[in-house]
Amino acid sequence: MRAQRGVTLLLVVAVFAGLLAPGRLGAQAADTMAGARVARLVAEPAALVVEAGQSVPFTVTAYDAGGQAVVAPLRLSAPWRSLQVREGDDRPRGLLSGRQALVTGVAAGAHQIVATVFVPGAAQGDALPSVTIPVTVSWPAVARIEITTEPGRLYQGTTLRHRARAFHADGSLRPNPDFRWSSSEPAVASVDRFGNVVAHRAGAVTITAALESARGTVKHVIPRLPAAKLEIAGGAEQARTGDVLSFEARALAASGGPVSDLPLTWSYTFTPDDSIAAPGAAAQMLDGKFVAEVPGLYTILAAAGPLTARRVVDIRPREAVRRATLVGHGRVANVHTSDLWVFEGRDGRDYAITGTWGANGVAYIWDVTDPANIVKTDSIQVDARTVNDVKVSPDARYAALSREGASNRRNGVVILDLSNPAHPTIASVYEQGLTGGVHNMFVTNDYLFALSAGEKYLILDVRDIKNPTYAGEYDHPDSYIHDVWVHDGIAYSSEWGTGVVVVDVGNGHWGGRPDKPVFVTSYAYPVGATHSTFPYAQESTGKFYLFLGDEIMPRVGLAYEGGLSLERYDPATGQGGTPSATSGYIHVVDFTDPARPRDVARYQAREFGTHNIWVEDDVLYQAYYEGGLRVVDVSGELMGNLAEQGREIAVYKPHDPAGYIANAAMVWGPQLYKGHIFFSDFNSGLWSIKLEPPQLKGRATS
């Protein structure tokens, strides 16, 4: 989460709101920029026209009631998927009135920028001077069209899917193009508006995809169908919901020899168990890979022209559910709780550190040796409003606290000496390059990775915790970073619309070191809300998965939008105390080959939004905000929506009547530790639960 009282940064909604950090202004400038003096705002030009990929300048000037121009801080909002708005110095942090800004077109259409006066302490909903700037974005002309075909050769009687992509002159792709498909010889092969080509007889044909004045073509010489028989191999006779089965279709000629290049169409039919009604979509079938969501009999079908083959699979319930039992609770009810980290101290006892959000810069130390009796042993107060992230080195030598909202506007990280883990002491504070605020971190025994104002991450050498030194940094171009996680010397940073950015910071395969990070690749998906990343090597399959989490708040455009509530109930005014509503889900990306990542699965619990992630021993522990803590079986190959496959092991919602917001679950982050699941809740502090052994079939669980 990233929001501040009086200054709200909407992370992933219909707008991208630039946050004007007070530290950017300076004390003297802040005194002269009294937003309360502003009577009106004027934009120049009043409307903008821009081509996608290009930038145009504009200014917004503030005037007082006497018509005099005044210097004032402004907040800029725009639909982040359609427009990119930045200051003239290319930093997305807001605008001073009269100073030039730039807008870059991202998606064609009619959009708008809203500039609003920034007044510290103003409540949400306060009427503040603003101006709306219409922005019309057009696409550049299509320069070329590229056509690709699915695997296989076009034979008489078969169907082959064609896909087209349209490129602008600068190499960028035209989103959602509507191509005009045509065939030079419809009697030989016809094509529908989706690019499916059906071969009617042997001969030659040219297939064309057109958009605007551009054309793309592909030629086929169609022979007679050489295959006489089709059969299905692989898969299994019986499996569980969520199990991924791989089938192979084999085409044979009349002579018995194989035909290897026949284009195939896969499908299935479904007969449900007697105990359930047939759902609209019960499974996924992609290129021979099949996964079922509900029990029943599935008939797997393969077709190639007039040839068909079928196999029947008996899918049984997964029966993954286990009871989650409350073990202990360390209540924090006076402020919001942020992240946690659980570790074994050098004295042999177990501890946890939790941060606080939008409060007074306190981190709490807990003895969790007995998870049923969580005891607060100490607290550390630093100069900050938010200690968003806490991390402990693997050797438990030191801990790190992130700082945001420091009174001296220098923020940075605080490094704790854990020689006495029950009562840590401050070993050092590192601020250089981190004054704009540190939202998240990652630590190893020797290095600390700290985010700098959402722009990049610094790599600090902390072998001497009393004297940390700068080692290196990585700043991905035109990207806003939220988190970073390091696995096997590779840093995976979560960068919203850019997706996950992968950098060699010590693995060495791509030549990277902490003092010389080397970019490897990046991967984005259409949602564009990459908030957190957890890399996971799955031993049973040899696959390497990235679990990528969205954070979308508030919920916009959904049947239930709800709101974003951060304040506790005030009986004097009747305000506050309302649970927040969020959205988003977990994207599972097969990253086994970094050059060919594939988005293969998701975990989506509808009506809730995700936060931090933990995966261990083929189990996903997911903080799902108001959806509680979700525990999910992620064993074996993954495909489809895991939430619909019976893979959910347990759900636990921490309802605390004495919480900061009463009985409002808002789970922030989980961690599996010595058989217990610890997690922090935004409204109620630190919790520990335990999964009971699996129950016998037919017995109720919860």
Side-chain angles (χ1 to χ4, degrees):
M1 177 179 290
R2 189 181 181 94
Q4 300 177 10
R5 295 172 186 160
V7 186
T8 302
L9 178 57
L10 300 178
L11 288 177
V12 187
V13 292
V15 300
F16 168 81
L19 175 66
L20 184 64
R24 289 282 311 279
L25 306 180
Q28 181 179 358
D31 292 340
T32 64
M33 296 175 188
R37 294 173 51 198
V38 178
R40 63 189 177 96
L41 300 178
V42 175
E44 179 61 36
L48 299 168
V49 177
V50 62
E51 191 174 272
Q54 295 183 344
S55 302
V56 296
F58 69 97
T59 60
V60 178
T61 305
Y63 294 91
D64 63 18
Q68 295 295 314
V70 295
V71 179
L74 308 176
R75 182 188 291 118
L76 299 178
S77 301
W80 64 277
R81 291 183 180 175
S82 304
L83 302 175
Q84 187 178 83
V85 182
R86 297 178 178 270
E87 272 190 73
D89 62 3
D90 207 35
R91 287 175 290 182
R93 287 284 178 250
L95 184 69
L96 300 183
S97 62
R99 186 169 175 176
Q100 187 178 83
L102 294 172
V103 58
T104 302
V106 177
H111 314 294
Q112 62 184 29
I113 301 169
V114 178
T116 307
V117 175
F118 167 63
V119 178
Q124 186 174 3
D126 285 356
L128 298 172
S130 66
V131 63
T132 298
I133 310 165
V135 183
T136 301
V137 181
S138 61
W139 292 121
V142 173
R144 65 183 177 90
I145 294 174
E146 178 184 282
I147 299 178
T148 59
T149 63
E150 291 188 341
R153 182 178 179 183
L154 198 59
Y155 289 100
Q156 181 179 354
T158 64
T159 300
L160 190 64
R161 175 76 182 273
H162 292 56
R163 300 179 187 274
R165 297 192 300 169
F167 294 87
H168 305 130
D170 64 357
S172 61
L173 277 170
R174 169 70 64 87
N176 304 314
D178 187 10
F179 293 104
R180 304 185 305 276
W181 290 92
S182 62
S183 169
S184 64
E185 299 290 342
V188 175
S190 59
V191 59
D192 65 17
R193 66 190 186 93
F194 304 107
N196 296 302
V197 177
V198 180
H200 303 295
R201 60 179 174 84
V205 67
T206 298
I207 303 299
T208 300
L211 183 63
E212 298 173 356
S213 60
R215 300 286 186 276
T217 62
V218 61
K219 295 181 179 181
H220 293 283
V221 176
I222 302 171
R224 295 185 180 277
L225 183 68
K229 181 181 179 181
L230 194 65
E231 59 186 24
I232 296 177
E237 299 295 328
Q238 187 181 99
R240 303 171 301 167
T241 57
D243 287 347
V244 177
L245 304 179
S246 296
F247 295 95
E248 179 187 1
R250 297 172 179 170
L252 302 175
S255 62
V259 179
S260 60
D261 56 357
L262 208 62
L264 297 168
T265 299
W266 290 94
S267 62
Y268 69 89
T269 62
F270 171 57
T271 303
D273 281 354
D274 293 339
S275 59
I276 62 172
Q284 268 194 29
M285 187 83 215
L286 298 173
D287 299 326
K289 286 187 178 293
F290 170 82
V291 63
E293 295 180 351
V294 295
L297 294 179
Y298 293 80
T299 300
I300 308 302
L301 300 169
L307 305 178
T308 60
R310 64 185 62 211
R311 281 274 302 278
V312 178
V313 181
D314 181 10
I315 298 295
R316 301 294 178 88
R318 196 171 189 89
E319 296 181 349
V321 173
R322 297 167 62 181
R323 187 182 300 276
T325 302
L326 173 64
V327 178
H329 179 202
R331 175 177 288 138
V332 178
N334 62 317
V335 294
H336 288 300
T337 297
S338 57
D339 217 342
L340 85 163
W341 199 269
V342 190
F343 65 101
E344 182 177 323
R346 293 194 164 189
D347 59 1
R349 298 185 65 82
D350 298 322
Y351 297 91
I353 301 179
T354 58
T356 55
W357 186 96
N360 55 359
V362 170
Y364 293 113
I365 316 300
W366 310 83
D367 188 319
V368 297
T369 307
D370 178 3
N373 184 31
I374 297 175
V375 178
K376 189 185 300 178
T377 64
D378 208 341
S379 62
I380 301 288
Q381 185 166 21
V382 299
D383 182 5
R385 180 166 52 185
T386 291
V387 178
N388 187 78
D389 197 12
V390 297
K391 289 290 190 294
V392 176
S393 61
D395 60 7
R397 185 172 54 93
Y398 73 94
L401 310 179
S402 70
R403 294 199 304 166
E404 293 177 290
S407 64
N408 63 1
R409 301 172 182 170
R410 292 195 59 80
N411 291 300
V413 295
V414 176
I415 299 175
L416 304 182
D417 184 342
L418 294 181
S419 298
N420 182 356
H423 304 282
T425 58
I426 295 177
S428 59
V429 177
Y430 190 94
E431 299 173 345
Q432 187 175 353
L434 300 172
T435 58
V438 178
H439 195 60
N440 278 311
M441 308 171 295
F442 189 88
V443 301
T444 67
N445 287 336
D446 296 336
Y447 294 96
L448 187 157
F449 298 74
L451 269 61
S452 176
E455 296 176 351
K456 58 185 177 182
Y457 55 83
L458 266 60
I459 306 172
L460 307 181
D461 186 330
V462 289
R463 284 174 284 191
D464 179 358
I465 61 173
K466 294 184 178 180
N467 183 35
T469 57
Y470 173 90
E473 64 181 64
Y474 183 79
D475 184 357
H476 197 70
D478 300 321
S479 191
Y480 189 85
I481 183 172
H482 177 268
D483 201 359
V484 63
W485 197 274
V486 181
H487 175 86
D488 193 24
I490 304 294
Y492 301 88
S493 55
S494 306
E495 309 210 7
W496 299 116
T498 307
V500 59
V501 175
V502 183
V503 177
D504 186 343
V505 293
N507 177 278
H509 182 76
W510 292 269
R513 305 190 306 258
D515 62 333
K516 183 189 173 184
V518 175
F519 172 75
V520 177
T521 188
S522 63
Y523 180 80
Y525 47 82
V527 176
T530 308
H531 165 275
S532 55
T533 302
F534 198 100
Y536 179 65
Q538 190 182 66
E539 292 185 8
S540 61
T541 63
K543 292 183 177 294
F544 188 78
Y545 287 115
L546 296 183
F547 290 79
L548 309 179
D550 300 326
E551 184 185 65
I552 302 175
M553 59 174 62
R555 297 163 55 88
V556 174
L558 300 178
Y560 171 64
E561 289 194 351
L564 182 61
S565 176
L566 305 176
E567 302 298 334
R568 68 194 316 174
Y569 177 70
D570 184 349
T573 64
Q575 302 296 312
T578 304
S580 295
T582 64
S583 182
Y585 59 89
I586 297 298
H587 304 248
V588 185
V589 177
D590 186 338
F591 213 73
T592 309
D593 180 357
R596 295 176 179 83
R598 296 183 301 117
D599 199 340
V600 294
R602 70 169 65 184
Y603 173 64
Q604 183 174 19
R606 299 187 184 278
E607 295 214 357
F608 311 117
T610 71
H611 203 241
N612 291 346
I613 308 166
W614 193 275
V615 186
E616 188 170 334
D617 295 332
D618 286 354
V619 177
L620 164 67
Y621 303 90
Q622 181 59 54
Y624 227 111
Y625 273 150
E626 72 272 33
L629 175 74
R630 326 287 292 205
V631 185
V632 185
D633 172 6
V634 291
S635 61
E637 187 174 355
L638 303 177
M639 176 176 164
N641 186 1
L642 311 182
E644 304 296 333
Q645 300 171 1
R647 285 179 173 269
E648 289 186 321
I649 297 171
V651 176
Y652 188 88
K653 297 187 179 183
H655 294 146
D656 183 2
Y660 189 87
I661 296 180
N663 291 321
M666 196 70 171
V667 177
W668 181 286
Q671 184 181 343
L672 179 67
Y673 182 80
K674 294 186 177 180
H676 289 79
I677 307 168
F678 290 86
F679 64 89
S680 59
D681 182 84
F682 192 59
N683 292 322
S684 55
L686 176 66
W687 298 73
S688 68
I689 64 173
K690 188 175 180 64
L691 295 180
E692 301 297 335
Q695 298 191 8
L696 295 177
K697 182 180 179 181
R699 296 182 61 185
T701 60
S702 62

